[in-house]
Amino acid sequence: MIPVGTPCARCLHRSRNARYSAVLPSAALVLSGASMEQRAGSLVGAGFLVDMWSVFEDFVTAALRAAFRP
């Protein structure tokens, strides 16, 4: 278990991990115990919302596509 506030390791962007470049900032927020802020006028909301059904569905679709690839 990583203690809260521990600095995240730096990830070097290479061709092998290019597909992860879009989610690395979000992963760093989660690992550091931080969150994103959404500002609308004088109201501030902080949170992290993920549609887990969509994440799971995308994972299963990608796994099955790779498994049945000729």
Side-chain angles (χ1 to χ4, degrees):
M1 184 161 163
I2 302 171
V4 174
T6 302
C8 294
R10 300 238 349 144
C11 183
L12 299 174
H13 296 283
R14 306 262 193 237
S15 59
R16 290 183 305 174
N17 64 0
R19 64 182 178 264
Y20 300 118
S21 63
V23 297
L24 287 176
S26 297
L29 284 174
V30 171
L31 290 174
S32 66
S35 64
M36 296 175 263
E37 284 189 2
Q38 180 75 19
R39 294 184 185 268
S42 61
L43 299 174
V44 177
F48 188 76
L49 179 65
V50 176
D51 290 329
M52 289 306 294
W53 66 267
S54 178
V55 173
F56 180 72
E57 186 178 274
D58 292 346
F59 169 76
V60 170
T61 301
L64 288 174
R65 187 174 290 131
F68 289 114
R69 189 173 298 145

